[in-house]
């Protein structure tokens, strides 16, 4: 690890990423935000995330790529040829951490897997992300977030009672896998700092998706009853996470603890409900949930969401106003926490995206403007730092091993999709 005047936690740590879409790039994005120098090795056609959702409405920009690749450096290498693999190997062996989420077996086929690289550099930390793990019969299957949601049980309990299974509204498994991988890398870096030893890290979308449901798995183990879809309601307690329509939208509230339930009854001016036989305990409230919901709808339906929130909070009842993205960004609480940061899109504009969901007051005092790299934009710089001179660099360029961008800010739409070098998880 290099010494540096940068005070951020991972300053001086070099990371090489072979990643596409969210899980791999998301993990290294966390490391980059913490100060690591992340070198993103892409095929000549780039991370497939560069093309995700690119249309007229997005103004030629990929929200996925902007969200998970700010502040990195990009080099475009053709790993279908031996020279390209040799360059990638040199960059990987010059790093402290390698992260990859190619399909199982791809990296081994070109000698860039953990076993091969760590044999040459035992201190290397190497993290691999797969769809379904590397030991089971599905190890060769391509895996995406939606497949993990389906096969982990997550979709089986998401949706309305009696309705079809539903996925979440965003790629929750991909995002959670990115965080889990970053956590594992941070633990390995801490161990490396103490012992000098490297580590081989493996995780998968499937295992992370299962781990996210730990409470439900425990409840299943206690009852031996399959969890059922229950919409917004909590199936075991009430009222909890119940959705109530109000004058200008919806709210959710949670008052299943007995003292909270009494406060809710007082808040709606019906304290006698606390001793009503239908609602005297959480189990009874679950049994009579339709009647309970009718009472709450009648109590709040004529009020605006913010008025309901103020009223319930005055009685210490947990409540949330269901907000759309525009309302979230306008929220004074959200503005105060500083979660959003501006990212330069490489086209002269800026996009607001969430940054780290925590602050480190002594080491990261304030977010600075980062930007996404153009495909191969820092290739020359990266290779010179790795020890290649101008003549060697020119040989690689002439052979098509290193691909330079058409312009310093090549856009995600500049190249047509082609068969990628390595299949994404």
């Amino acid at each position: 690890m290099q010494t540096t005047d940068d005070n951020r936690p991972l300053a001086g740590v070099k990371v090489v990423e072979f990643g596409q879409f969210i899980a791999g790039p998301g993990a290294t994005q966390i490391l980059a935000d913490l100060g690591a120098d992340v070198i993103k090795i892409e095929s000549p056609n780039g991370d497939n995330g560069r093309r995700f959702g690119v249309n007229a409405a997005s103004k030629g920009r990929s929200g996925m790529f902007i969200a998970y690749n700010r502040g990195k450096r990009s080099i475009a290498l053709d790993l279908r040829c031996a020279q390209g693999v040799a360059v990638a190997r040199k960059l990987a062996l010059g790093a402290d951490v390698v992260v990859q989420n190619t399909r199982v077996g791809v990296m081994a086929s070109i000698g860039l897997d953990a076993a091969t690289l760590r044999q040459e550099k035992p201190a290397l930390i190497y993290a691999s992300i797969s769809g379904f793990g590397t030991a089971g019969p599905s190890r060769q299957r391509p895996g995406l977030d939606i497949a993990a949601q389906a096969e982990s049980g997550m979709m089986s309990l998401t949706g309305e009672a009696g309705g079809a299974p539903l996925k979440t509204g965003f790629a929750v498994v991909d995002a959670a896998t990115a965080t889990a991988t970053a956590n594992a890398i941070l633990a390995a870096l801490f161990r490396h700092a103490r012992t000098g030893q490297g580590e081989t890290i493996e995780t998968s979308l499937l295992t992370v998706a299962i781990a996210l449901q730990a409470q439900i798995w425990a409840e299943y183990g206690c009852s031996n009853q399959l969890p059922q879809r229950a919409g917004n309601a909590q199936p075991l307690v009430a009222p909890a996470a119940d959705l109530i329509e109000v004058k200008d939208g919806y709210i959710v509230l949670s008052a299943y603890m007995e003292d909270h339930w009494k406060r809710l009854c007082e808040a709606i001016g019906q304290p006698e409900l606390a001793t009503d036989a239908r609602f005297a305990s959480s189990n009874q409230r679950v049994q009579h949930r339709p009647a309970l919901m009718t009472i709450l709808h009648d109590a709040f339906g004529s009020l605006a969401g913010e008025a309901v929130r103020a009223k319930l909070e005055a009685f210490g009842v947990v409540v949330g106003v269901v907000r759309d993205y525009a309302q979230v960004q306008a929220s004074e609480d959200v503005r105060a926490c500083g979660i959003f940061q501006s990212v330069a899109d490489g086209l002269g504009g800026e996009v607001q995206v969430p940054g780290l969901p925590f602050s480190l007051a002594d080491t990261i005092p304030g977010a600075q403007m980062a930007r996404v790299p153009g495909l191969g934009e820092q290739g020359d710089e990266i290779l010179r730092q790795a020890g290649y001179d101008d003549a060697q660099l020119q040989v690689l360029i002439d052979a098509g091993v290193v691909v330079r961008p058409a312009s310093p800010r090549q856009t995600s739409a500049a190249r047509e999709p082609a068969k990628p070098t390595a299949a994404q998880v």
Side-chain angles (χ1 to χ4, degrees):
M1 301 180 191
Q2 303 171 6
T3 58
T4 174
D5 293 332
D6 191 335
N7 196 38
R8 291 177 296 170
L10 297 187
V13 173
K14 183 172 289 186
V15 179
V16 166
E17 173 208 309
F18 300 87
Q20 298 194 63
F21 294 126
I22 296 176
T28 60
Q29 180 64 78
I30 294 171
L31 305 181
D33 285 344
L34 291 171
D37 174 18
V38 178
I39 296 173
K40 185 178 182 70
I41 296 181
E42 302 185 68
S43 75
N45 294 289
D47 179 342
N48 285 328
R50 288 183 179 273
R51 293 176 287 276
F52 187 90
V54 175
N55 52 36
S58 71
K59 301 178 182 177
R61 304 172 295 185
S62 166
M64 177 185 288
F65 193 80
I66 291 172
Y68 297 110
N69 292 281
R70 61 187 179 274
K72 301 179 184 180
R73 297 193 291 161
S74 170
I75 180 171
L77 293 176
D78 187 349
L79 299 185
R80 295 169 297 185
C81 66
Q83 286 177 294
V85 171
V87 173
R89 177 188 300 276
K90 185 169 186 176
L91 294 176
L93 291 173
D96 303 297
V97 179
V98 172
V99 178
Q100 64 92 4
N101 65 329
T102 62
R103 193 177 299 181
V104 174
V106 170
M107 298 300 275
S109 70
I110 54 177
L112 294 177
D113 56 306
T116 302
L117 293 181
R118 291 200 61 216
Q119 184 175 15
E120 189 166 347
K121 183 179 180 179
L124 182 66
I125 296 169
Y126 192 109
S128 299
I129 303 168
S130 63
F132 299 94
T134 59
S138 292
R139 60 186 176 274
Q140 295 290 346
R141 288 173 57 193
L144 292 173
D145 176 279
I146 187 61
Q149 288 195 43
E151 299 200 13
S152 67
M154 188 178 293
M155 286 182 66
S156 75
L157 54 85
T158 305
E160 295 295 333
L166 293 176
K167 70 176 184 65
T168 62
F170 65 102
V172 61
V173 178
D174 274 343
T177 302
T179 298
T181 305
N183 284 341
I185 291 169
L186 291 173
L189 283 169
F190 182 72
R191 177 172 177 266
H192 180 277
R194 290 189 295 108
T195 68
Q197 297 177 4
E199 184 60 275
T200 298
I201 298 166
E202 288 191 7
T203 189
S204 70
L205 303 183
L206 179 63
T207 55
V208 171
I210 292 172
L212 286 174
Q213 304 167 72
Q215 176 189 336
I216 311 302
W217 280 106
E219 291 171 355
Y220 173 55
C222 290
S223 68
N224 202 33
Q225 295 181 350
L226 289 172
Q228 302 297 312
R229 291 186 288 281
N232 290 295
Q234 290 278 7
L236 301 181
V237 290
D242 289 282
L243 185 72
I244 300 171
E245 187 171 5
V246 294
K247 185 177 180 180
D248 58 351
Y250 296 89
I251 64 160
V252 290
L253 61 80
S254 182
Y256 58 90
M257 301 295 289
E258 295 309 317
D259 57 336
H260 293 180
W261 165 241
K262 292 177 182 178
R263 293 178 202 166
L264 176 58
C265 295
E266 292 172 1
I268 63 175
Q270 300 184 55
E272 68 278 5
L273 288 178
T275 56
D276 188 308
R278 298 171 297 170
F279 312 126
S281 70
S282 182
N283 286 340
Q284 289 166 313
R285 292 192 290 276
V286 170
Q287 183 179 352
H288 297 95
R289 191 189 297 269
L292 174 59
M293 289 299 101
T294 298
I295 291 171
L296 295 178
H297 278 291
D298 291 343
F300 299 129
S302 62
L303 301 176
E306 289 298 330
V308 175
R309 181 180 68 83
K311 183 174 184 177
L312 291 181
E313 286 181 352
F315 285 83
V317 176
V318 176
V319 58
V321 179
V322 178
R323 296 187 172 119
D324 62 27
Y325 273 34
Q327 292 169 328
V328 171
Q329 285 193 311
S331 164
E332 293 183 8
D333 291 317
V334 174
R335 290 179 180 273
C337 73
I339 180 66
F340 285 99
Q341 66 180 86
S342 294
V343 177
D345 61 11
L347 300 173
E350 298 177 14
V351 178
Q352 291 284 309
V353 300
L356 292 172
F358 55 83
S359 62
L360 299 173
D362 293 338
T363 56
I364 308 180
Q368 296 182 343
M369 171 78 77
R371 75 173 184 86
V372 295
L375 175 59
E377 182 176 347
Q378 293 83 19
D380 289 10
E381 171 186 272
I382 291 168
L383 290 178
R384 287 194 177 96
Q385 290 176 351
Y388 290 87
D389 60 29
D390 289 347
Q392 292 170 318
L393 178 58
Q394 193 59 53
V395 169
L396 294 173
I397 294 170
D398 291 343
V401 174
V402 177
V403 180
R404 279 174 162 166
S407 65
R409 304 261 179 121
Q410 183 175 357
T411 71
S412 59
R415 292 178 179 268
E416 291 298 321
K419 186 177 181 180
T421 301
Q424 161 65 26
V425 170

